[in-house]
Amino acid sequence: LEAKVNVTFPLTPGERSRGYEVRIGPGLMDDLAGHLRSRCPAHRYAVITDSNLSPLFGERVLEQAREASGSADLFVFPAGEANKNRERWAELSDQLLTAGFGRDAAVLALGGGVVGDLAGFVAATYLRGLPYIQLPTSALAMIDSSVGGKTGVDTPAGKNLIGAFHQPELVVADIDTLRTLPQPELRSGLAEAVKHGVITDAEYFDWIVSASPAILDLAPEEVVRVVERSVRIKAFVVGEDEREGGVRKTLNFGHTIGHAVEALSGFTLLHGEAVAIGMVVEGVIGEKTAISDAGTADRVRDALRRFGLPNHVPRDMEADRILELTRVDKKARAGRVEYALVERIGTASRGTGSYGQPVEDEVVLAAIEACRG
Ligand SMILES: NC(=O)c1ccc[n+]([C@@H]2O[C@H](COP(=O)([O-])OP(=O)(O)OC[C@H]3O[C@@H](n4cnc5c(N)ncnc54)[C@H](O)[C@@H]3O)[C@@H](O)[C@H]2O)c1
Ligand SMILES: [Zn+2]
């Protein structure tokens, strides 16, 4: 049942090898030691996790890390996006310094995207960079955030504004961990998988729609398949474009509106829920600008419905406010908002040559109104 995906990058001068393996399957957490020894050997491991995951999996991962190196310590911070900040980054870094972690150490990031980003940023900066391993435990982290090497923290000015690119040595996604993940978190993470189908692979899109009941039931075969295919897509896209100049922008489908809706909800909407709404609106924007085939937005909406995800813009969200918030998105360049749109299910639009497409305000406003419940 296990799947493996290799993430590779073009070599830059002086580099001998670049890239890492993503292992996906059931029971992998109790079979870590050997992989740690071969893929990320260290004299000491720092296991960083949050307060929800520590009681669930902390001891098991520590045990494996100790078996691999003889020495490992657990560092726990309070769960939640609000803790993905510089204060927690400083605390964790200080705790590692106090515990005497040196350059021969490595970091294990055990958790969802918050742990992955924060622990990854600690690893990226500690003694100018320690190797690290991602052990994603949420659907979002397995499908999206554990691959690509983006690490960082939020600031009062916005999300993910301070960070670094730092690629892991290995990613191990034990799908059994999803059994304790709250249902809304599961559904929200799967929104990104639907997105992967929409932007690159019509066959994957059709499969994920038909397999949605099994996936939501956590049937192992289907879950391994969805994580594997999404990781393959993300790995291909980020491998082509490690630092986001071109094709990586296609991953932003649904996110220009999605980020605005997420912020406007005061973050009561989960990221994937907001992105689901964003994908429907951006599907309609695509149709209104004749970039997307007619019927594209309806197919996206139907897929999201099957995953129990929202697909209408909430009535209390004013279109003007959403539009305003799209302009402060960090992906806006020189104040110009560029949408990542699709031609049809399975094919991203190349836009103006860089996969981004400016859209008239009137079109955005009309698309938002067309997506009211
Ligand atoms: N680096 C990237 O490329 C990238 C991409 C997308 C998102 N992100 C980031 O990811 C974060 C969101 O990730 P997330 O949705 O995983 O959030 P999260 O890490 O906060 O996890 C969601 C909640 O589920 C809990 N949880 C996670 N796994 C669990 C499990 N197996 N059992 C029980 N509880 C579990 C967590 O403790 C948390 O309360 C955001 O900060 C976002 O910016 C990063
Ligand atoms: Zn996203």
Side-chain angles (χ1 to χ4, degrees):
L1 247 182
E2 195 182 328
K4 282 182 217 162
V5 180
N6 287 306
V7 182
T8 54
F9 298 103
L11 295 183
T12 54
E15 283 180 332
R16 274 171 302 139
S17 76
R18 293 247 281 144
Y20 49 93
E21 193 174 71
V22 183
R23 305 177 76 93
I24 304 145
L28 300 183
M29 199 168 274
D30 297 313
D31 181 33
L32 264 182
H35 301 302
L36 293 182
R37 262 196 302 266
S38 64
R39 301 283 166 169
C40 189
H43 283 100
R44 205 173 168 194
Y45 293 102
V47 181
I48 299 180
T49 194
D50 75 22
S51 51
N52 290 336
L53 293 154
S54 169
L56 292 170
F57 311 114
E59 280 306 318
R60 284 161 64 189
V61 171
L62 263 184
E63 198 180 299
Q64 294 290 317
R66 287 191 178 128
E67 195 181 318
S69 76
S71 174
D73 299 271
L74 189 63
F75 299 89
V76 184
F77 67 91
E81 182 76 32
N83 290 297
K84 199 179 103 176
N85 59 29
R86 285 171 291 197
E87 291 70 32
R88 296 295 176 200
W89 166 81
E91 269 172 34
L92 288 164
S93 303
D94 287 344
Q95 286 168 13
L96 263 66
L97 288 167
T98 304
F101 277 79
R103 292 216 45 83
D104 53 2
V107 170
L108 304 190
L110 167 66
V114 165
V115 175
D117 284 11
L118 178 58
F121 190 47
V122 170
T125 47
Y126 190 80
L127 303 179
R128 298 201 180 82
L130 290 183
Y132 78 117
I133 289 176
Q134 291 278 17
L135 303 174
T137 63
S138 70
L140 181 118
M142 291 185 192
I143 283 167
D144 188 353
S145 65
S146 64
V147 171
K150 284 189 184 178
T151 72
V153 293
D154 303 332
T155 75
K159 282 184 65 174
N160 300 320
L161 293 178
I162 304 288
F165 283 97
H166 188 47
Q167 303 292 346
E169 304 296 313
L170 173 70
V171 180
V172 179
D174 182 341
I175 62 158
D176 289 343
T177 60
L178 296 176
R179 304 211 165 274
T180 50
L181 184 69
Q183 266 282 327
E185 299 284 353
L186 177 66
R187 294 173 191 273
S188 168
L190 290 166
E192 303 283 357
V194 172
K195 178 192 77 179
H196 289 145
V198 175
I199 63 174
T200 65
D201 189 340
E203 192 254 297
Y204 178 43
F205 178 86
D206 289 338
W207 174 79
I208 202 174
V209 168
S210 66
S212 52
I215 296 169
L216 289 170
D217 271 354
L218 296 180
E221 217 164 299
E222 279 77 8
V223 173
V224 168
R225 183 138 179 235
V226 73
V227 175
E228 179 194 358
R229 294 200 57 171
S230 273
V231 165
R232 249 181 233 293
I233 289 167
K234 181 142 190 210
F236 173 77
V237 172
V238 303
E240 294 286 297
D241 182 13
E242 191 183 356
R243 286 175 186 245
E244 201 164 65
V247 66
R248 192 162 176 164
K249 283 191 213 156
T250 61
L251 295 169
N252 214 35
F253 176 64
H255 281 63
T256 306
I257 295 293
H259 282 145
V261 165
E262 188 179 7
L264 210 51
S265 79
F267 295 91
T268 56
L269 283 173
L270 295 174
H271 176 71
E273 293 171 340
V275 168
I277 295 167
M279 287 195 281
V280 176
V281 175
E282 294 182 21
V284 172
I285 290 174
E287 291 188 35
K288 284 189 184 294
T289 51
I291 288 166
S292 311
D293 289 355
T296 303
D298 275 342
R299 289 183 67 194
V300 171
R301 193 182 277 125
D302 172 66
L304 297 169
R305 209 177 274 136
R306 286 169 191 260
F307 282 100
L309 286 160
N311 45 75
H312 293 292
V313 179
R315 283 178 193 288
D316 58 352
M317 281 190 193
E318 284 172 38
D320 284 345
R321 290 284 293 135
I322 297 174
L323 183 66
E324 210 174 292
L325 281 170
T326 61
R327 296 193 216 283
V328 302
D329 199 270
K330 89 180 141 157
K331 299 218 164 99
R333 283 174 205 246
R336 213 167 79 134
V337 183
E338 292 201 337
Y339 286 80
L341 301 175
V342 296
E343 289 180 9
R344 64 189 70 83
I345 300 294
T347 309
S349 163
R350 287 200 70 101
T352 47
S354 64
Y355 297 93
Q357 189 76 46
V359 177
E360 299 290 335
D361 289 352
E362 295 69 44
V363 175
V364 175
L365 293 171
I368 293 168
E369 292 308 340
C371 294
R372 299 289 184 189

